[in-house]
Amino acid sequence: MFRWKPLAALAAVTALSLVSACSSGGQEVGAEPGEGQVTFWSFLRGSDAVAAAFNESHPGIKVNFVNQAGGPDYYTKLSNAMKSGQVPDAAVAEYTRLPEIVSLGGATDLTGEVGPVVQKTFPGAIQELVTLGGKTWGVPRDASAMLYFYRKDFFDEHELSVPETWADYKTLAAKVKSIDSGKRAGAYLTGNYNLLSALSWQAGGKWFGAEGDSWAVGINDEPSLKVAGYWQDLLKNDLVTSFPDYTDQFWQDIQNNDLVGYFCASWCAGNLKATVPDQSGDWAVAELPSWDGESASAMWGGSSFIVPKGAKNSAAALEFIKWITTDPQGIAAWFGTGVSSMYPAAPTLVPEAKKGFTTEYFGGQDIYAVLTDSYDSAVPGWRWGPAMATTESAFNDRLGKAADGSAQLTDIFSQVQDATVKALKDRGLTVAQ
């Protein structure tokens, strides 16, 4: 049963009206039926297959897919395209970055064309991630619910239990280290803040919200500092290993059987399957541990699609976007690579995802059942802010200091709070103190 609850919508809308106040208004989608050429930017796995499938089934529209590198560089490129007027017709925008794109006037207001579709198709909390200032700016694709990935063969061999609480997890991490000093049950990322943002979300932190007509910024609120202190303690006791991100060095430890567990989102299942295929059958997934033993989760990532302001063929782009986000055939097309494990933002489309991702790699475990539990238990009330590029870089510039002991994570959270507040004020936004 879907349990996501509408968050404090009124307060959020009030704050986010400040976002739209800074945008340059809504360009309307073309009134004519969609046809012609569509330029499509995306870094998501399976985007090429989606474009090809759409072209086969929609002869009046030709989607030209342009592969993009993900991360901050993508948003810089998109921002530069907006400034030059050479924008694509359809583009991916993670929930994290959508408020900033809107605040800079880079997205087309889609309220009239897809607002009712978004309201009908997606749960309230997902709607709110693409609804800013009462307007719909994107169509959700996926919801990246968090999971704990673990080596079931190692856990079975040593009779280890999957942790239900964060206290359990610390005990587990110590046991794994005691079994083999070269192995760890988790990883801390020195160059990617998303793990800590997701765990702050899970703990009940609220990094962005509203107080009257002002933004409220709570990056160093009590739940978030609890997460920061907990992970600082894991690092201090050498119970988790550190990597810049889930990239080469991380995968070497996975390949060498040194890392027997880590926290990540739904999309990591596909990455694991694609990167270490020889470990098929060794891995399983579980819900996140929680602070009190009750199910609680959050998201790392999750994407929507927008029509950038200035798009030359917005009507055809919107037809494409609707198909790849809300049509069962469009969702099925994302799995053309055989390794995508995205979790659809629309609950009714989950059966299509399950059909597209075979689970032999996870020993036949129904990982989508676990994902559904995680998705359903996502803590309500989370919002992203309008200066996430600053927030992200402020975190990523400092996280390594917590790993080498030269700074405390709690201090880093407060420093990022200060940097973010300054960025909002520099943009002329009012921040509650």
Side-chain angles (χ1 to χ4, degrees), residues 18-19 21-22 103 214-215 386-387 421 423-431:
L18 301 175
V19 169
C22 292
S103 74
S214 299
W215 279 93
V421 168
L424 266 61
K425 289 182 176 178
D426 287 347
R427 290 190 181 185
L429 300 174
T430 304
V431 181

Side-chain angles (χ1 to χ4, degrees), residues 2-237:
F2 198 74
R3 300 196 298 271
W4 272 43
K5 303 172 184 174
L7 54 88
L10 180 59
V13 168
T14 300
L16 292 165
S17 67
L18 301 175
V19 169
S20 59
C22 292
S23 70
S24 53
Q27 166 190 292
E28 294 184 355
V29 173
E32 297 299 322
E35 60 181 12
Q37 303 277 327
V38 170
T39 301
F40 168 43
W41 284 13
S42 175
F43 51 77
L44 299 174
R45 189 191 301 274
S47 295
D48 52 345
V50 164
F54 180 85
N55 288 337
E56 288 182 4
S57 57
H58 295 73
I61 301 173
K62 172 67 183 303
V63 174
N64 302 301
F65 170 57
V66 182
N67 189 36
Q68 301 293 328
D73 289 347
Y74 167 73
Y75 293 102
T76 299
K77 183 175 182 179
L78 186 60
S79 176
N80 290 337
M82 293 168 181
K83 293 173 185 174
S84 68
Q86 300 299 312
V87 296
D89 300 296
V92 61
E94 294 164 289
Y95 303 130
T96 319
R97 291 301 190 95
L98 184 58
E100 188 155 15
I101 293 171
V102 173
S103 74
L104 296 174
T108 300
D109 177 5
L110 304 178
T111 307
E113 290 73 20
V114 297
V117 173
V118 169
Q119 291 179 14
K120 177 182 177 182
T121 308
F122 304 99
I126 292 292
Q127 293 177 32
E128 289 165 351
L129 293 174
V130 297
T131 304
L132 311 171
K135 298 179 180 179
T136 303
W137 300 93
V139 185
R141 182 196 78 136
D142 65 311
S144 300
M146 291 291 289
L147 296 171
Y148 181 54
F149 292 77
Y150 66 98
R151 281 287 295 266
K152 188 174 186 305
D153 55 339
F154 183 84
F155 275 52
D156 288 347
E157 179 185 356
H158 298 286
E159 299 182 339
L160 299 174
S161 298
V162 176
E164 295 182 358
T165 67
W166 286 111
D168 292 342
Y169 178 71
K170 183 178 179 182
T171 300
L172 167 71
K175 285 183 179 178
V176 169
K177 182 182 175 184
S178 68
I179 292 168
D180 186 330
S181 62
K183 296 187 186 299
R184 294 293 183 274
Y188 167 83
L189 300 182
T190 61
N192 190 325
Y193 80 109
N194 283 288
L195 174 61
L196 293 174
S197 66
L199 298 184
S200 296
W201 176 345
Q202 185 218 20
K206 292 179 174 58
W207 283 10
F208 298 94
E211 287 186 20
D213 291 332
S214 299
W215 279 93
V217 183
I219 295 169
N220 63 346
D221 63 14
E222 183 176 347
S224 302
L225 290 182
K226 179 170 68 174
V227 171
Y230 176 86
W231 278 81
Q232 188 69 61
D233 183 61
L234 294 178
L235 290 166
K236 177 184 175 183
N237 291 287

Side-chain angles (χ1 to χ4, degrees), residues 405-417:
S406 61
Q408 297 294 305
L409 260 180
T410 49
D411 293 337
I412 290 171
F413 273 51
S414 293
Q415 292 164 9
V416 176
Q417 164 85 8

Side-chain angles (χ1 to χ4, degrees), residues 298-322:
M299 294 199 300
W300 175 344
S303 303
S304 65
F305 284 95
I306 64 170
V307 177
K309 190 172 183 180
K312 295 180 176 61
N313 196 355
S314 56
L318 197 54
E319 284 199 36
F320 172 62
I321 288 173
K322 286 190 290 187

Side-chain angles (χ1 to χ4, degrees), residues 315-332:
L318 197 54
E319 284 199 36
F320 172 62
I321 288 173
K322 286 190 290 187
W323 188 79
I324 64 176
T325 55
T326 64
D327 191 298
Q329 293 183 20
I331 292 298

